[in-house]
């Protein structure tokens, strides 16, 4: 086995499994739930202004739970049990990630981008912030989402800034090593050495009639 593409979701990973993963150099992409701790978090992720910048209202509407689902959105455990003494599936995954990081297991970004209601770009940004809940430092999280992810996929022309690699990167208005939330403060985006016209793309994406934009 090379790696796990999701964490265990119905239990906290035990020490023996974590130790075995480290011993066998098995990586993990945590793929934490986009809903995190549930829609009780204010504001709910689907009301996040940064999501509205790049996806149409129709596309975002697909992710909104029905009114009768709101009470169960932060369900307990894998089966959405309502026992308040039982940690939620999300909480168990965060605890597992804390163990994995402390043990030195290889961790890379995984966010299920492209599946239903998992919005490319935004899902990755949200995933980075959630990974930090485990105690990973901003630098560890950023490396997991860039260099480590590229190495695992054997993409030798990206993942870090170095001579001979593709000049695809973002410029931020604040240092994400000080606060990972600064990764949201995007100033410029470059793709293969060319600056992207973000204003034009924003106008196209938010003004369109398509219900899905990928």
């Amino acid at each position: 086995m090379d790696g796990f593409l999701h964490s265990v979701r119905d239990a906290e990973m035990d020490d023996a499994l974590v130790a075995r993963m480290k011993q066998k150099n098995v990586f993990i992409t945590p793929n934490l739930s986009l809903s995190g701790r549930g829609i009780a978090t204010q504001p709910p992720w689907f009301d996040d202004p940064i999501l509205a910048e790049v996806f149409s209202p129709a596309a975002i509407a697909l992710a909104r739970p029905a009114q009768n689902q709101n009470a169960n959105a932060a369900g307990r455990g894998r089966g959405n049990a309502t026992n308040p003494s039982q940690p939620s599936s999300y909480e168990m995954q965060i605890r597992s990630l804390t163990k994995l990081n402390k043990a030195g297991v290889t961790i890379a970004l995984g966010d299920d981008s492209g599946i239903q209601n998992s919005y490319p770009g935004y899902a990755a940004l949200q995933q980075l912030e959630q990974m930090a809940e485990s105690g990973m430092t901003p630098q560890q999280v950023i490396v997991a989402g860039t260099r480590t992810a590229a190495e695992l996929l054997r993409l030798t022309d990206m993942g870090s800034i170095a001579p001979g690699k593709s000049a695809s990167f973002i410029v931020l208005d604040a240092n994400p090593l000080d606060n990972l939330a600064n990764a949201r403060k995007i100033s410029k985006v470059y793709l293969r050495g060319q600056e992207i016209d973000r204003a034009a793309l924003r106008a196209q994406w938010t003004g369109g009639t398509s219900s899905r934009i990928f």
Side-chain angles (χ1 to χ4, degrees):
M1 176 183 288
D2 294 312
F4 289 102
L5 298 184
H6 290 85
S7 184
V8 178
R9 294 180 172 179
D10 57 356
E12 183 177 333
M13 297 172 75
D14 60 39
D15 293 340
L17 174 57
V18 172
R20 189 69 166 170
M21 290 175 65
K22 174 61 177 177
Q23 177 190 9
K24 294 294 186 178
N25 196 28
V26 173
F27 71 83
I28 187 169
T29 62
N31 264 316
L32 301 168
S33 167
L34 188 61
S35 296
R37 301 186 186 278
I39 65 168
T41 304
Q42 295 296 329
W45 68 267
F46 42 79
D47 286 335
D48 193 334
I50 198 171
L51 179 64
E53 285 191 11
V54 291
F55 288 94
S56 70
I60 297 172
L62 296 173
R64 292 182 180 277
Q67 190 67 32
N68 61 0
Q69 291 178 313
N70 290 352
N72 298 322
R76 316 302 293 180
R78 185 175 182 182
N80 287 334
T82 57
N83 182 357
S85 65
Q86 178 185 358
S88 69
S89 173
Y90 182 80
E91 289 166 342
M92 289 187 284
Q93 291 175 70
I94 290 293
R95 293 178 186 179
S96 295
L97 187 56
T98 299
K99 287 183 175 181
L100 292 161
N101 184 50
K102 288 183 177 179
V105 172
T106 299
I107 300 169
L109 173 68
D111 59 10
D112 276 345
S113 278
I115 68 169
Q116 183 178 10
N117 301 339
S118 184
Y119 300 91
Y122 178 80
L125 179 62
Q126 190 83 335
Q127 187 73 193
L128 295 175
E129 295 174 354
Q130 291 174 318
M131 289 167 69
E133 294 182 31
S134 70
M136 294 178 68
T137 67
Q139 182 169 353
Q140 287 176 325
V141 171
I142 292 170
V143 170
T146 53
R147 188 181 67 196
T148 302
E151 288 175 349
L152 291 175
L153 292 171
R154 299 182 177 89
L155 300 175
T156 58
D157 64 337
M158 59 183 65
S160 59
I161 297 176
K165 293 197 174 186
S166 175
S168 299
F169 58 90
I170 60 174
V171 179
L172 302 176
D173 287 324
N175 190 349
L177 296 181
D178 295 333
N179 187 335
L180 199 57
N182 288 336
R184 292 170 169 259
K185 300 178 180 179
I186 301 172
S187 174
K188 297 180 180 181
V189 177
Y190 287 83
L191 181 62
R192 293 184 289 275
Q194 299 297 316
E195 183 178 353
I196 300 299
D197 188 342
R198 298 177 67 226
L201 287 176
R202 185 183 297 113
Q204 175 185 343
W205 291 339
T206 58
T209 57
S210 173
S211 62
R212 289 181 182 273
I213 303 173
F214 293 114

